[in-house]
Amino acid sequence: MLWLRLLPLDAARRRRLLAEALPGLTTRRRERVVRWCHEGDLWQADHKLAVADGGGETRADDGNLQTLCVPCHQEKTAQERLGRRGGEQKKQSRKRPLEQLGLTDANPTKGELSA
């Protein structure tokens, strides 16, 4: 898991690893992770069917949750908002579940989902 690889590193190495692994991470979030590296800072649980579109009553085992890196989750959310406003989606979402990036376990524990 990426955050475990970051823990023993100094600030410069953390920045470099974050830039390589998650190039879309905002400077603000990257610096937060550099200073205080915690488990839930690099990925977020995402509703495949957005809450606004009826996916709010979700359990971890019903198939409506996926793990996305923070930049991909932000992009997906922006595209969904654009779609709800009647706008035309300019590009396909580049969401990449962290499992595909090899950055986290395929089956996060209950504690990891709540982080």
Side-chain angles (χ1 to χ4, degrees), residues 73-104:
H73 188 226
Q74 291 170 339
E75 180 180 332
K76 178 181 178 277
T77 301
Q79 290 294 320
E80 289 169 344
R81 285 184 184 143
L82 182 63
R84 278 193 291 281
R85 290 184 186 142
E88 194 174 300
Q89 292 188 1
K90 295 181 181 178
K91 60 181 177 180
Q92 180 80 8
S93 176
R94 297 178 315 186
K95 64 179 181 165
R96 296 166 292 178
L98 287 185
E99 292 83 5
Q100 290 178 0
L101 294 172
L103 299 176
T104 188

Side-chain angles (χ1 to χ4, degrees), residues 6-49:
L6 291 169
L7 282 177
L9 302 178
D10 62 42
R13 288 182 179 160
R14 283 184 183 181
R15 279 185 193 93
R16 193 167 41 251
L17 182 59
L18 285 169
E20 292 170 7
L22 296 170
L25 207 61
T26 64
T27 301
R28 181 178 177 191
R29 185 171 294 271
R30 183 174 47 251
E31 290 305 312
R32 176 181 164 199
V33 173
V34 166
R35 279 186 249 119
W36 306 288
C37 184
H38 298 287
E39 184 175 8
D41 289 335
L42 300 172
W43 64 271
Q44 298 174 338
D46 172 63
H47 291 84
K48 292 177 185 177
L49 176 62

